[in-house]
Amino acid sequence: LADLLKDEKKLFNAVYGNLSALGNRGGDDGFNFRGSGFGQVTGRDNIKKALATVKKMRAEAGLPPLDSKYDAEDGGLEAFAEDIRDNDDIGAQATVAWWLNNVHGKVEDWTNDAQVSAMVNRGPNSKLGKKSAQVSQSYKPYRDALDAAQKEADTTLSATGLPMNNEEFFKN
């Protein structure tokens, strides 16, 4: 264990490398597809889905396509995973894509921190999901304060004429 803790690459490969639930295939997959971006998108399959969703979102928004390096058969997915870690714009887009692929539409009440936390942390019935839902309840006063601040900011910014409705942003 001491040797693994000294070598980040070996550690991630030992923990995540062969985790088929994430689509990892061994080798350096644990390291290459470790948690990345604001939402810590983890695993070959999640990165692959995020890439496809980001491409779709950009096309629908009329934005320029992503760099063609992500299309390469050999290494394109690894390049995207690296850029999720190193490029804030790509990291943010991948995090939104992960959210759309894994959480959006699966939570009945977005104001219920327990439901949201449970879905983010492996589903509502997992041990981790139940624990995270329990912990999230202790943050409710902070969430309420943030919600109040957001409403105030929305009211102030609505005068700009820009869309401020989060539901519009997340529509498929």
Side-chain angles (χ1 to χ4, degrees):
L1 182 61
D3 288 340
L4 286 177
L5 295 175
K6 293 177 187 175
D7 186 333
E8 184 180 67
K9 188 171 187 175
K10 285 181 184 177
L11 176 65
F12 281 109
N13 285 332
V15 174
Y16 295 110
N18 289 305
L19 200 56
S20 61
L22 296 174
N24 290 346
R25 304 176 186 158
D28 285 337
D29 275 9
F31 180 75
N32 291 336
F33 302 112
R34 64 192 181 278
S36 302
F38 305 111
Q40 292 296 289
V41 181
T42 306
R44 178 183 283 274
D45 285 352
N46 285 322
I47 300 287
K48 186 175 183 178
K49 287 178 196 172
L51 175 58
T53 302
V54 168
K55 286 179 176 181
K56 179 182 173 194
M57 289 185 327
R58 290 178 67 87
E60 289 173 355
L63 295 172
L66 288 172
D67 192 306
S68 62
K69 69 182 178 182
Y70 304 136
D71 296 328
E73 286 288 327
D74 186 28
L77 203 53
E78 289 88 348
F80 184 65
E82 185 176 329
D83 284 351
I84 292 172
R85 288 187 292 279
D86 297 339
N87 180 310
D88 287 346
D89 289 338
I90 296 295
Q93 292 171 41
T95 298
V96 169
W98 180 88
W99 185 269
L100 290 171
N101 290 331
N102 294 284
V103 180
H104 183 64
K106 298 176 184 170
V107 175
E108 293 177 24
D109 180 3
W110 290 100
T111 65
N112 184 323
D113 291 338
Q115 283 185 17
V116 174
S117 294
M119 286 308 301
V120 169
N121 293 293
R122 298 190 185 177
N125 297 318
S126 71
K127 186 176 180 179
L128 181 59
K130 288 177 183 176
K131 180 64 177 172
S132 67
Q134 181 183 32
V135 169
S136 74
Q137 287 303 311
S138 67
Y139 293 105
K140 186 161 179 17
Y142 303 107
R143 171 67 187 262
D144 292 344
L146 287 173
D147 286 346
Q150 182 64 54
K151 285 178 185 174
E152 184 178 334
D154 286 349
T155 301
T156 303
L157 293 173
S158 66
T160 66
L162 297 172
M164 294 292 146
N165 184 337
N166 288 337
E167 290 177 13
E168 289 296 318
F169 177 80
F170 284 109
K171 277 187 179 176
N172 287 334

